[in-house]
Amino acid sequence: MTSSLRQLGLAASSVLLSSALLLAACGDDDSGDVDGLDPSDVDEVVRQVLAESTSDTAPGQLVGLTRVVIPAGESIPAHTHPGPQVAVIVSGTLTFTVVEGEAELTRDAGTEDAASESIESGDTVELEAGDSVIEPSGLVHQAENETNDPVVIHTSSLFPEGEPPSSPAE
């Protein structure tokens, strides 16, 4: 991994990853049902804000926790985020492609079997429940659910206030 990606803010990434892992670990059950939204009933990609707060230590930034549900056969086209985001796969299998940039993948995040690897431009990987990926600001990536079951992802982000959570890649 490049030193500039390492310098992205290991402290911020650590906090975001801890928040996302905590969110994934503290779910009410394995169904992924949150606030009455059952992932098996979703027929389009849903981004559900679970919590959001301004940051005292990063003025103008919002710390957010979200849940994304990608139904069977659906995809999220190439896009970027305005700040760093950590995603943890809660259930399902996600096909994740880095179009431009570099991300850090951790298999079995939060366990003694955790193993990290870099995902670079042109790489496509399968993410399973328990895997996490750190997406730095500006990373161009896309995601697909090529299975028959919904994919549930919990994300933690640090985005500038007033910015959309994602923008289509140009």
Side-chain angles (χ1 to χ4, degrees):
M1 181 185 319
T2 64
S3 63
S4 63
L5 183 55
R6 285 188 200 280
Q7 294 173 354
L8 167 66
L10 293 177
S13 295
S14 177
V15 168
L16 293 174
L17 180 58
S18 297
S19 298
L21 288 171
L22 180 62
L23 180 61
C26 294
D28 54 346
D29 59 32
D30 290 338
S31 71
D33 190 350
V34 174
D35 292 336
L37 179 65
D38 183 346
S40 62
D41 292 338
V42 172
D43 60 3
E44 64 183 15
V45 176
V46 173
R47 179 182 182 274
Q48 181 182 28
V49 176
L50 301 175
E52 192 170 67
S53 177
T54 57
S55 171
D56 293 337
T57 57
Q61 302 289 307
L62 286 176
V63 176
L65 293 172
T66 61
R67 181 174 78 142
V68 177
V69 178
I70 305 173
E74 293 295 318
S75 63
I76 300 175
H79 63 283
T80 63
H81 301 288
Q85 176 170 274
V86 176
V88 177
I89 308 304
V90 175
S91 64
T93 301
L94 182 70
T95 302
F96 182 88
T97 301
V98 172
V99 177
E100 184 177 310
E102 185 177 352
E104 183 178 343
L105 163 64
T106 301
R107 302 280 184 189
D108 297 318
T111 72
E112 62 184 44
D113 295 327
S116 295
E117 60 189 80
S118 291
I119 312 169
E120 299 177 355
S121 296
D123 289 346
T124 297
V125 295
E126 299 289 322
L127 302 175
E128 303 284 338
D131 294 343
S132 69
V133 63
I134 299 174
E135 304 168 354
S137 177
L139 175 76
V140 179
H141 58 288
Q142 61 190 34
E144 297 179 71
N145 179 355
E146 298 176 338
T147 73
N148 293 322
D149 297 309
V151 173
V152 177
I153 308 163
H154 287 169
T155 68
S156 182
S157 58
L158 184 65
F159 295 161
E161 286 184 81
E163 291 287 320
S166 65
S167 298
E170 297 179 12

